[in-house]
Amino acid sequence: EDRLVTKRSPHSVVITIDRLSDALKQRGIPIVARVDHAAAAERIGEKLEATQLLLFGNPKLGTPLMQSNQKIGLDLPIKALAWRDQSGQVWLAYTRPSSLKSDYAISDRNSTFVAMEQALDMLTNEAVRAN
């Protein structure tokens, strides 16, 4: 579980992802896709608690990582998942960038990974803030 950063959200799944999306847009970070897994399940006649995935990325950070090891593109752009559990609690999670550093044996981009960690922490904190 130390690969994932998971934060409790006081908002619905939709609002949590909307807030993250707004925080990204305010900083000029492109959103690549928004996936509603629960809606997809409903289309096939299945039920799934509210679950949405947001894919986003900053080429200024991702490109240098791919220059070091293009295979990290399997995990880029960054993904954040919001879901409502069986008790009704909403969560927001993402993969810790430092785990990608070791997964792809990238040793020459420490400052990039630090910047990613700091940005993700700040952006997801905004999304789950109670205000």
Side-chain angles (χ1 to χ4, degrees), residues 11 15 35 40 53 58 79 114 119-120:
H11 310 291
I15 290 173
V35 179
L53 180 73
N58 181 344
K79 296 171 275 303
V114 169
L120 282 167

PDB file of all heavy atoms in Angstrom, residues 11 15 35 40 53 58 79 114 119-120:
ATOM      1  N   HIS A  11     -16.342  14.964   0.046  1.00  0.00           N
ATOM      2  CA  HIS A  11     -17.217  15.271  -1.085  1.00  0.00           C
ATOM      3  C   HIS A  11     -17.645  13.991  -1.788  1.00  0.00           C
ATOM      4  O   HIS A  11     -17.074  12.929  -1.577  1.00  0.00           O
ATOM      5  CB  HIS A  11     -16.486  16.170  -2.085  1.00  0.00           C
ATOM      6  CG  HIS A  11     -15.846  17.364  -1.467  1.00  0.00           C
ATOM      7  ND1 HIS A  11     -16.562  18.406  -0.931  1.00  0.00           N
ATOM      8  CD2 HIS A  11     -14.537  17.662  -1.263  1.00  0.00           C
ATOM      9  CE1 HIS A  11     -15.731  19.306  -0.435  1.00  0.00           C
ATOM     10  NE2 HIS A  11     -14.501  18.872  -0.623  1.00  0.00           N
ATOM     11  N   ILE A  15     -17.845  15.434  -7.248  1.00  0.00           N
ATOM     12  CA  ILE A  15     -17.314  16.717  -6.766  1.00  0.00           C
ATOM     13  C   ILE A  15     -15.817  16.612  -6.510  1.00  0.00           C
ATOM     14  O   ILE A  15     -15.065  17.542  -6.832  1.00  0.00           O
ATOM     15  CB  ILE A  15     -18.083  17.212  -5.531  1.00  0.00           C
ATOM     16  CG1 ILE A  15     -19.499  17.625  -5.966  1.00  0.00           C
ATOM     17  CG2 ILE A  15     -17.361  18.373  -4.854  1.00  0.00           C
ATOM     18  CD1 ILE A  15     -20.429  17.984  -4.825  1.00  0.00           C
ATOM     19  N   VAL A  35     -12.837   9.050 -16.796  1.00  0.00           N
ATOM     20  CA  VAL A  35     -13.505   7.777 -17.011  1.00  0.00           C
ATOM     21  C   VAL A  35     -14.465   7.528 -15.853  1.00  0.00           C
ATOM     22  O   VAL A  35     -14.060   7.556 -14.688  1.00  0.00           O
ATOM     23  CB  VAL A  35     -12.471   6.620 -17.095  1.00  0.00           C
ATOM     24  CG1 VAL A  35     -13.170   5.284 -17.291  1.00  0.00           C
ATOM     25  CG2 VAL A  35     -11.456   6.889 -18.198  1.00  0.00           C
ATOM     26  N   ALA A  40     -19.980   2.863 -16.833  1.00  0.00           N
ATOM     27  CA  ALA A  40     -19.654   1.757 -17.739  1.00  0.00           C
ATOM     28  C   ALA A  40     -20.262   0.454 -17.221  1.00  0.00           C
ATOM     29  O   ALA A  40     -20.809  -0.339 -17.999  1.00  0.00           O
ATOM     30  CB  ALA A  40     -18.144   1.621 -17.894  1.00  0.00           C
ATOM     31  N   LEU A  53     -12.084   7.940 -12.716  1.00  0.00           N
ATOM     32  CA  LEU A  53     -10.644   8.037 -12.919  1.00  0.00           C
ATOM     33  C   LEU A  53     -10.356   9.289 -13.733  1.00  0.00           C
ATOM     34  O   LEU A  53     -11.024   9.553 -14.732  1.00  0.00           O
ATOM     35  CB  LEU A  53     -10.158   6.804 -13.691  1.00  0.00           C
ATOM     36  CG  LEU A  53      -8.680   6.710 -14.017  1.00  0.00           C
ATOM     37  CD1 LEU A  53      -7.887   6.383 -12.755  1.00  0.00           C
ATOM     38  CD2 LEU A  53      -8.451   5.647 -15.079  1.00  0.00           C
ATOM     39  N   ASN A  58       1.608  16.782 -16.980  1.00  0.00           N
ATOM     40  CA  ASN A  58       2.382  17.958 -17.318  1.00  0.00           C
ATOM     41  C   ASN A  58       3.576  17.489 -18.148  1.00  0.00           C
ATOM     42  O   ASN A  58       4.499  16.874 -17.609  1.00  0.00           O
ATOM     43  CB  ASN A  58       2.849  18.660 -16.044  1.00  0.00           C
ATOM     44  CG  ASN A  58       3.645  19.905 -16.321  1.00  0.00           C
ATOM     45  OD1 ASN A  58       4.112  20.132 -17.429  1.00  0.00           O
ATOM     46  ND2 ASN A  58       3.817  20.726 -15.293  1.00  0.00           N
ATOM     47  N   LYS A  79      -2.597   9.185 -13.058  1.00  0.00           N
ATOM     48  CA  LYS A  79      -3.999   8.833 -12.860  1.00  0.00           C
ATOM     49  C   LYS A  79      -4.373   9.047 -11.396  1.00  0.00           C
ATOM     50  O   LYS A  79      -3.586   8.732 -10.504  1.00  0.00           O
ATOM     51  CB  LYS A  79      -4.228   7.369 -13.227  1.00  0.00           C
ATOM     52  CG  LYS A  79      -3.976   7.061 -14.693  1.00  0.00           C
ATOM     53  CD  LYS A  79      -4.006   5.593 -14.990  1.00  0.00           C
ATOM     54  CE  LYS A  79      -2.729   4.857 -14.760  1.00  0.00           C
ATOM     55  NZ  LYS A  79      -1.543   5.280 -15.429  1.00  0.00           N
ATOM     56  N   VAL A 114      10.539  14.552  -7.209  1.00  0.00           N
ATOM     57  CA  VAL A 114      10.193  15.386  -6.050  1.00  0.00           C
ATOM     58  C   VAL A 114       9.121  16.402  -6.443  1.00  0.00           C
ATOM     59  O   VAL A 114       8.135  16.589  -5.725  1.00  0.00           O
ATOM     60  CB  VAL A 114      11.445  16.085  -5.472  1.00  0.00           C
ATOM     61  CG1 VAL A 114      11.056  17.142  -4.454  1.00  0.00           C
ATOM     62  CG2 VAL A 114      12.382  15.058  -4.847  1.00  0.00           C
ATOM     63  N   ALA A 119       3.560  18.326  -6.219  1.00  0.00           N
ATOM     64  CA  ALA A 119       2.402  18.801  -6.985  1.00  0.00           C
ATOM     65  C   ALA A 119       1.183  17.924  -6.738  1.00  0.00           C
ATOM     66  O   ALA A 119       0.075  18.427  -6.492  1.00  0.00           O
ATOM     67  CB  ALA A 119       2.742  18.843  -8.476  1.00  0.00           C
ATOM     68  N   LEU A 120       1.365  16.620  -6.772  1.00  0.00           N
ATOM     69  CA  LEU A 120       0.239  15.712  -6.538  1.00  0.00           C
ATOM     70  C   LEU A 120      -0.323  15.866  -5.131  1.00  0.00           C
ATOM     71  O   LEU A 120      -1.543  15.828  -4.942  1.00  0.00           O
ATOM     72  CB  LEU A 120       0.658  14.268  -6.794  1.00  0.00           C
ATOM     73  CG  LEU A 120       0.733  13.873  -8.248  1.00  0.00           C
ATOM     74  CD1 LEU A 120       1.459  12.549  -8.415  1.00  0.00           C
ATOM     75  CD2 LEU A 120      -0.648  13.808  -8.861  1.00  0.00           C
TER      76      LEU A 120
END
